[in-house]
Amino acid sequence: MIIYGQHNIYSFRLFDYTDCPEGPILPGAHSIERFLIEEHLHSIIEMYHLERKDCAAHLLNFPYKLKIPLEYCIVEVIFAELLHMPTPRYLEIAYGAILIELCKLQPSTMPQVLAQATEMLFMRIDSMNVSCFDRFVNWFSYHLSNFQFRWSWEDWDSCLTLDEDHPKPKFIRETMLKCMRYAYYLKMC
């Protein structure tokens, strides 16, 4: 995760070109193309953030979508907004709702990219700010609650050997507690 900043303009870097499978190449971290793509995606979110379905549709209809790995750019921009310090621009739930709509509209690619991003954030969680940690827990548990709580938990088995106060087991524990609350609510309805 790299953050570049100058004159209060920050770019969040989660992916590089090696993270994307074959197909269009992700522009380099310092390339003007990447900044322009991000700026356009941020403006779409700004314009449509109150209407999750419209926002997701407009994000997926990005004009140059065939020339870039669009799903990677979208996920990176949404996480940049969600994890922005000191607070995100919009309500945290808005970003979660947009990501859910994106997964519904693009089921062949978006869930895999989102899972890859989740894995990358989880691997770097020990250096994550506490506020970002909490937002990540909130988003992930909300996302799981909308997809039948399915996740490949066995990939994170190595956390069982860590101290319980380490950020990774703590993340899993807090996510599970939130998921139990969501599941309890669903059983009550």
Side-chain angles (χ1 to χ4, degrees), residues 123-138:
M123 288 301 130
R124 300 169 184 163
I125 204 163
D126 14 357
S127 62
M128 192 177 281
N129 178 289
V130 175
S131 296
C132 292
F133 178 95
D134 290 341
R135 288 184 223 156
F136 187 36
V137 167
N138 291 338

Side-chain angles (χ1 to χ4, degrees), residues 48-178:
Y48 297 102
H49 71 277
L50 294 174
E51 296 293 332
R52 69 186 194 284
K53 290 183 179 191
D54 289 342
C55 188
H58 280 85
L59 287 168
L60 290 172
N61 286 324
F62 187 77
Y64 305 103
K65 64 183 175 184
L66 299 176
K67 297 181 181 188
I68 58 168
L70 181 61
E71 292 85 356
Y72 287 87
C73 295
I74 291 171
V75 167
E76 189 173 76
V77 165
I78 290 175
F79 276 117
E81 292 221 5
L82 177 64
L83 301 176
H84 182 265
M85 292 300 293
T87 59
R89 269 199 304 179
Y90 308 113
L91 294 176
E92 291 175 38
I93 194 83
Y95 301 109
I98 292 167
L99 286 168
I100 289 167
E101 288 303 319
L102 288 164
C103 288
K104 289 178 183 177
L105 290 174
Q106 201 75 29
S108 61
T109 54
M110 191 57 76
Q112 292 80 7
V113 173
L114 197 50
Q116 186 178 351
T118 303
E119 185 68 31
M120 293 172 90
L121 287 169
F122 180 75
M123 288 301 130
R124 300 169 184 163
I125 204 163
D126 14 357
S127 62
M128 192 177 281
N129 178 289
V130 175
S131 296
C132 292
F133 178 95
D134 290 341
R135 288 184 223 156
F136 187 36
V137 167
N138 291 338
W139 165 76
F140 190 52
S141 57
Y142 172 70
H143 191 79
L144 290 174
S145 75
N146 282 274
F147 290 96
Q148 302 172 343
F149 301 100
R150 283 186 277 154
W151 183 254
S152 52
W153 296 106
E154 55 278 349
D155 292 348
W156 293 350
D157 278 350
S158 62
C159 295
L160 297 172
T161 61
L162 299 172
D163 182 72
E164 67 178 33
D165 290 330
H166 188 277
K168 288 180 180 178
K170 188 174 181 174
F171 173 80
I172 294 171
R173 186 173 54 253
E174 290 190 24
T175 298
M176 291 292 182
L177 289 171
K178 288 233 182 235

Side-chain angles (χ1 to χ4, degrees), residues 1-16:
M1 184 173 354
I2 304 169
I3 299 175
Y4 299 100
Q6 185 179 36
H7 306 290
N8 295 325
I9 299 171
Y10 293 92
S11 291
F12 177 84
R13 297 288 181 252
L14 184 58
F15 300 114
D16 68 17

